Amino acid sequence: MAREPIQFYNRHTKQLETEKIYKEGWLRFTYENPVGRFFLWAFVKRKFFSWHYGWKMNWRSSARYVLPFVIDYGLEEQQGEFARSVFDFRTFNEFFMRALKREARPIAPGDDTAVFPADGRHLVFPDVDKAGGFYVKGSKFALEDLLGEGHLPEARRELTRKFAGGAMVISRLCPVDYHRFHFAAAGKAGKARLIKGALYSVHPIALRRRIEYLVQNKRMITLVETDAFGTMASIEVGATNVGSIIQTYPEDFSVKKGEEKGLFKFGGSCVITLFEKGRIKFDDDLVAQSESCVETFAKMGDRLGVRA
């Protein structure tokens, strides 16, 4: 059977492009092969598997993978954005968590404008309750499960009620992407709450098979009280080989739009942003692509939408 390519719409080039998938053979074996799915259940989804891989990426010897990775995945043109030269990273994980020059990611202006919180491939849903499907038509997860309230009686699901009928952005970061995440809007950020879970892949190859992986994975939830958009939830989702979600922002302090919130260690990962009902209007091009379950590539700081 022919392997279905993963395509996305590039907002900058205005073209549909095919993703070059990191470790594609291993990923397809794990999620599309019955034998691979046994190893997924027995080993891959578990914390130790990702911890061990991340540990290896912290070895000094892992630095030798940096330059081949840059060449293989066409990052040569992006080197001018890096805050450090590729030859200065002591480990692969240092490269993976790299900072960028401040001017590399301009923030869309306007107090009533929200921006993407991360580089990546994005899906937007103006009403999460009415969405026809996320990565494939008819395939959705429950909001209460995403927010860690699925086990609670309905009367105690406070966050689920707050964001019912609200808007959602799923931002998927590939291993080739800049792996720091930022605030989509200015406001006062509370304490990040950890929800323990597994570490499944968040790549469409996995999510098209079982979208619930997103709500079964380890994740951290932060509420941000904003003037323009009401309460906003920023949710960082761990994944295979991403056991570490590191928060770097000052809790219970005011944060600026586009300010760094934290970073992921090695692997693909995901950031989900929730807005209350009726508080944001996403840009039309993003909605059009998402209605067809096609992700849009955009960078952190690019315009996402405006206050409704």
Side-chain angles (χ1 to χ4, degrees):
M1 181 182 297
R3 293 179 169 181
E4 182 182 0
I6 302 299
Q7 294 188 309
F8 60 91
Y9 176 75
N10 190 318
R11 200 183 199 189
H12 298 276
T13 65
K14 310 297 184 185
Q15 294 181 343
L16 199 63
E17 300 180 5
T18 299
E19 181 179 328
K20 183 176 181 180
I21 303 171
Y22 180 74
K23 302 287 186 183
E24 180 177 4
W26 177 86
L27 188 60
R28 290 191 181 277
F29 169 74
T30 305
Y31 288 90
E32 297 180 347
N33 183 289
V35 176
R37 288 197 292 272
F38 168 77
F39 283 102
L40 169 66
W41 172 82
F43 304 107
V44 177
K45 72 171 187 175
R46 304 190 185 277
K47 180 179 179 180
F48 177 79
F49 181 89
S50 293
W51 174 86
H52 182 262
Y53 199 91
W55 176 62
K56 289 175 62 179
M57 292 299 102
N58 278 326
W59 290 358
R60 286 295 187 99
S61 59
S62 68
R64 70 181 186 273
Y65 301 129
V66 173
L67 190 57
F69 185 90
V70 168
I71 295 171
D72 289 347
Y73 290 90
L75 300 182
E76 296 99 325
E77 295 182 0
Q78 299 179 26
Q79 290 184 70
E81 299 178 342
F82 301 170
R84 295 164 59 185
S85 165
V86 294
F87 300 105
D88 291 339
F89 295 105
R90 294 170 298 179
T91 69
F92 191 86
N93 229 341
E94 275 195 5
F95 163 73
F96 184 79
M97 298 184 293
R98 63 191 177 275
L100 301 182
K101 296 176 181 176
R102 185 181 298 272
E103 63 272 18
R105 292 293 180 272
I107 308 301
D111 293 339
D112 294 345
T113 300
V115 300
F116 284 106
D119 284 15
R121 293 132 193 86
H122 312 271
L123 293 170
V124 304
F125 305 95
D127 185 334
V128 66
D129 293 341
K130 295 181 179 179
F134 298 153
Y135 284 91
V136 64
K137 293 291 185 181
S139 181
K140 299 170 59 178
F141 53 73
L143 188 60
E144 59 265 28
D145 292 333
L146 173 65
L147 294 168
E149 295 184 334
H151 66 290
L152 297 176
E154 189 169 348
R156 294 178 56 195
R157 296 175 182 174
E158 297 180 5
L159 287 182
T160 303
R161 290 197 300 273
K162 177 178 283 291
F163 292 105
M168 180 173 70
V169 186
I170 303 178
S171 303
R172 178 176 65 90
L173 290 69
C174 294
V176 298
D177 292 323
Y178 166 63
H179 256 70
R180 300 192 179 207
F181 45 89
H182 299 246
F183 289 98
K188 184 176 180 180
K191 182 179 178 62
R193 175 169 63 95
L194 173 65
I195 299 177
K196 295 182 179 180
L199 292 170
Y200 292 103
S201 172
V202 295
H203 193 275
I205 288 174
L207 298 179
R208 287 175 181 176
R209 175 173 178 79
R210 185 173 175 80
I211 191 65
E212 289 82 2
Y213 289 150
L214 273 177
V215 298
Q216 293 173 358
N217 275 9
K218 169 184 175 180
R219 54 204 184 278
M220 299 189 80
I221 300 177
T222 306
L223 298 182
V224 185
E225 300 299 332
T226 77
D227 290 334
F229 303 99
T231 303
M232 179 180 73
S234 178
I235 306 169
E236 296 84 38
V237 183
T240 305
N241 296 333
V242 185
S244 297
I245 305 170
I246 301 172
Q247 305 288 346
T248 60
Y249 73 99
E251 296 176 354
D252 295 322
F253 279 84
S254 294
V255 296
K256 297 178 181 179
K257 178 173 65 176
E259 183 176 336
E260 182 182 304
K261 185 175 186 292
L263 55 92
F264 293 106
K265 289 194 175 181
F266 184 76
S269 42
C270 179
V271 175
I272 298 176
T273 309
L274 293 176
F275 296 89
E276 292 180 272
K277 183 177 181 179
R279 298 307 296 261
I280 189 170
K281 180 183 184 301
F282 294 133
D283 288 350
D284 291 341
D285 63 323
L286 305 173
V287 176
Q289 295 297 332
S290 298
E291 286 178 345
S292 300
C293 296
V294 175
E295 297 170 300
T296 296
F297 175 79
K299 297 178 181 179
M300 190 285 293
D302 289 349
R303 176 172 146 148
L304 169 63
V306 296
R307 175 161 57 180

